[in-house]
Amino acid sequence: MTQASRRPLRPLCRARLFSAVHCALWVAGGLFAGSAAAQETEAAPAQESEARTLETVSVLGSRRSQRSSDTTSISPVDVLPMAKNTEEGAQFDLAQSLQYAAPSFNSTRQSGADGADLVDSAALRGLGSDQTLVLVNGKRHHTTALLNLFGARNRGNTGTDLNTIPLMAIDSVEILRDGAAAQYGSDAIAGVMNISLKKRKGCEAVAGYGQYSKGDGENWLATAYCGFGLGSDGTIGITGEYQDRGRSDRSEPAGSPRIIGDSKIRNETIFVNGEKPLGENLTLYFTGGVQNRDASSAAFARDGLGSEDIPSRNSAAMYPDGFVPFIDGELKDRYGILGLRWSMGEWNADLSYTYGFNELRYDINNTLNASIANLDLLNGGRGVSADSFDAGGFSFQQKTINFDVSRFYDQVFNGLNVAFGLERRDERYKIFAGEPGSYIDADGVGEGGNAGSQGFPGFQPADAGSHSRDNWAAYVDLEADFTDRFTAGVAVRYEDYSDFGKTTTGKLAAGFRATDTLMLRASASTGFRAPSLQQKFFSSTITDFVNGEPVDVVIAPNGGTIANAAGLPLLTKEESRNYTLGLTWSPTADTSLTLDAYRIDIDDRIVLSGRFDTTDPTIGSILDDLGVGQAQFFVNSVDTRTEGLDFTFNNERQLGEDVKLGTFFALNLNRTKVNAIHAPPALIGREDVLLSERERLFIEQGAPKSKAVLGFDLSRGPWAGNVKVIHFGPQTLGTFSGTAGGVPNARYKAKTSADLSATYSFSENTKLTVGGANIFNVKPTRQNADETDNGHIFDSVQFGLNGAAYYVRLWHRF
């Protein structure tokens, strides 16, 4: 929000230089929809250098295109124009840009968490990444194929990879901080994010470079956008981006074979977005995105001569000094929308098809299969195996068809909007087996070399498979202005899933304008989240390090042999109840504030269980037969309550003839508690294993208890400066030993970092920005490395572990 606080929204903001939050209060309006409606505003001429009009304003959660410009929102919505982030921001991707702008949003970059290092997941209001729904141009965006299994954040969740969308392609991001499953369906428990893409005419480009103060993690960015006319009345925008991020390393002590820090990433992305009128009342619109990503994460190090890792996990002939395996991922992401909008008298209709695909395949390099090496040694060889393996991977595909109809009756009450629609969605999840050397136990002697590629054992043929489901949905919503001061709405949605059955959700919301500047608002809703196919069918044997010692852990699929033996029922939906009460106040045209309290109750929340080992009376013998030490499952076993408060304040002030100051402050407070654990009959009495203290703390404190952003934008003539202070509250995470063993939990104290930048505009079309992020080099509280999830002195919490960074950006408009 502070990154782009001076962007007029004509005509919806009456052509005044409102802040992002103020514009949200005036135009975000409304409540109910199956997909958000986009409203066009006139693009500003190229000569306007001070503030350019947002291309689209999506009224998130409403189909009411007739909403007047002076109606405030009855649900809390933040509108974040992204131009300043693109042109001047310290962060080069969308997830990190939002992390340092929106307090209710969290995206923590993982390290030492296998595949989770390659994808930055994102979440709202302290909940999981799969409880936030992401839309692009008002249409559902697919989630990743990746299921997060390690790391301090979003454990056991799937989520949306926001970094598949280049910043340069984005016009604005709207965040609905309210339960919205009744409007949008599954995943919208914590809220909804809508990413509106550009399609205005004109061209611009950015070249950027950054690195950490330690001298590593070099980040190169080259991105460009061009918008053209499509015939006499259409438009198309094309964005290309290349990003190359180097690896960083904060391992200790110096010279340690362990590598901990940012993964290595290379993104190549192209996006198109446009529309073409086909007649007076018929418009074709389209969006397409393609990203290829090569990424590399460092796994735990294996020791060399004189250690217990030889011959169990290393070979003296191959790595006498130890080695670090690299989990290298090849990611492919595809996204497309094709739709028609038309009018039939007073009725408006929208028919669209949305396609999403995400695939991740693993190559494990600088590794070995110790069992193959040991067999070679037993047969008189030197004791070697291949040092690289194809470990397989997985993919997720989603196809969605939407048909939406709406009409506004201006003679009913003071205005009544009626909308209804249908949705059909098909999903498919696949797991691909790796090559045999990535998983086999070659020596078969029960001692000596461990099976599979070190760092990440490959997926076995028994893990591989293709799984699918479909669902139908129908919704209806009504929204009415009963008087000039009172607005209320109701939405109902029915869904039928092929794998777990039917569900119906609803929402009520209302807003009362007590004065011309003060509005009170409230909402209550029920919601649900369908278990992801990834949670239902993921199957793999992985290697974890507990107190510094390697342990093979099987993630047993729901409905499989081990899960059935443990008496676990089939996964079903999570159910939620969401309550919000708040106010908005705009005492002047240049000042606004919002205050919203919320409570979210979730029943039968799906979690990754604690670890059952070979001593378990029910499944211990099965684990022994499989040769693994521990097993985990996904299960609907937890009821949680999340309570919190969101506050925003924004002010714009003219200090002199050519001096402007923008001030922004936003705060999120949240607390999540596990209220109940529901063990299936076969596991009654073992609730402490089903949800161990460590796993409970991942749910309750995966995000900081508080987060605040204070920003100042100062401009004078060609010069502009930005100061931003970001406060992250405390977190407490569990240790392997746990408090019962006399070892305290990992307590991370509250920390505050600061960003600083200066921009010089050579002309209206060219400017240079230099700046720093976390300029005081603040880091999390140090921990015992044997007790953290990633085996480092810091978990992946708060703002990360890399320290200060510096950057430069050059922006030019053609």
Side-chain angles (χ1 to χ4, degrees), residues 65-66 279-284 340-351 403-407:
S65 59
Q66 293 86 354
E280 183 177 352
N281 297 317
L282 180 65
T283 299
L284 171 73
L340 289 169
R341 291 191 298 264
W342 70 94
S343 59
M344 303 172 291
E346 298 296 321
W347 292 94
N348 298 310
D350 186 325
L351 177 65
F403 179 61
D404 306 300
V405 181
S406 66
R407 179 176 177 175

Side-chain angles (χ1 to χ4, degrees), residues 13 19 113 148 155 162 179 199 214 223 231 286 374 382 395 403 417-418 447 470 484 490 512 531 570 640 689 734 763:
C13 284
S19 68
N148 292 335
R155 194 179 192 85
L162 298 179
K199 55 178 179 286
K214 289 282 190 179
T223 182
F286 54 88
N374 192 54
R382 293 193 309 116
S395 68
F403 179 61
N417 196 75
V418 176
E447 297 178 359
D470 60 76
D484 290 340
V490 59
F512 176 70
L570 296 178
T640 65
V689 181
S763 68

Side-chain angles (χ1 to χ4, degrees), residues 143-185:
T143 61
T144 67
L146 175 72
L147 182 65
N148 292 335
L149 298 175
F150 293 115
R153 189 75 187 99
N154 295 312
R155 194 179 192 85
N157 293 175
T158 53
T160 300
D161 187 354
L162 298 179
N163 294 339
T164 60
I165 306 172
L167 274 175
M168 180 66 81
I170 302 172
D171 200 49
S172 66
V173 176
E174 301 94 41
I175 301 177
L176 172 63
R177 296 178 278 108
D178 199 8
Q183 298 117 291
Y184 299 102

Side-chain angles (χ1 to χ4, degrees), residues 194-426:
N194 182 46
I195 300 168
S196 296
L197 303 181
K198 298 176 186 174
K199 55 178 179 286
R200 60 173 171 261
K201 296 179 182 179
C203 297
E204 58 183 319
V206 167
Y209 172 79
Q211 71 169 31
Y212 293 112
S213 60
K214 289 282 190 179
D216 58 6
E218 288 189 327
N219 206 342
W220 295 90
L221 175 70
T223 182
Y225 166 86
C226 260
F228 309 94
L230 196 60
S232 60
D233 49 5
T235 57
I236 181 173
I238 303 174
T239 305
E241 180 180 276
Y242 175 82
Q243 183 184 8
D244 191 334
R245 186 182 78 199
R247 200 187 310 276
S248 64
D249 185 10
R250 298 295 175 269
S251 57
E252 292 190 12
S256 168
R258 181 76 199 279
I259 298 175
I260 194 79
D262 285 352
S263 54
K264 185 178 181 181
I265 297 286
R266 186 175 72 246
N267 290 338
E268 297 173 344
T269 314
I270 187 167
F271 255 75
V272 298
N273 184 53
E275 65 178 20
K276 169 66 176 169
L278 302 179
E280 183 177 352
N281 297 317
L282 180 65
T283 299
L284 171 73
Y285 60 91
F286 54 88
T287 300
V290 174
Q291 183 182 87
N292 293 330
R293 179 184 305 171
D294 291 325
S296 177
S297 171
F300 278 78
R302 271 57 170 173
D303 292 331
L305 292 173
S307 73
E308 294 181 357
D309 282 352
I310 295 178
S312 63
R313 300 178 186 276
N314 192 4
S315 166
M318 295 184 66
Y319 305 106
D321 298 322
F323 67 100
V324 176
F326 291 106
I327 304 171
D328 296 338
E330 180 181 342
L331 295 90
K332 296 180 179 179
D333 195 88
R334 310 289 186 259
Y335 183 69
I337 305 169
L338 183 64
L340 289 169
R341 291 191 298 264
W342 70 94
S343 59
M344 303 172 291
E346 298 296 321
W347 292 94
N348 298 310
D350 186 325
L351 177 65
S352 65
Y353 172 81
T354 304
Y355 174 81
F357 176 79
N358 183 268
E359 180 182 88
L360 172 57
R361 290 181 177 265
Y362 292 112
D363 286 315
I364 315 304
N365 293 301
N366 197 49
T367 185
L368 82 163
N369 182 320
S371 72
I372 294 177
N374 192 54
L375 179 63
D376 181 56
L377 188 64
L378 293 174
N379 290 333
R382 293 193 309 116
V384 299
S385 81
D387 61 4
S388 177
F389 297 97
D390 173 2
F394 30 74
S395 68
F396 178 70
Q397 175 182 275
Q398 187 177 84
K399 301 176 182 178
T400 308
I401 298 173
N402 288 99
F403 179 61
D404 306 300
V405 181
S406 66
R407 179 176 177 175
F408 184 76
Y409 295 88
D410 55 7
Q411 301 301 316
V412 179
F413 305 117
N414 278 24
L416 170 68
N417 196 75
V418 176
F420 56 88
L422 298 171
E423 180 178 284
R424 160 80 180 195
R425 191 164 70 250
D426 293 274

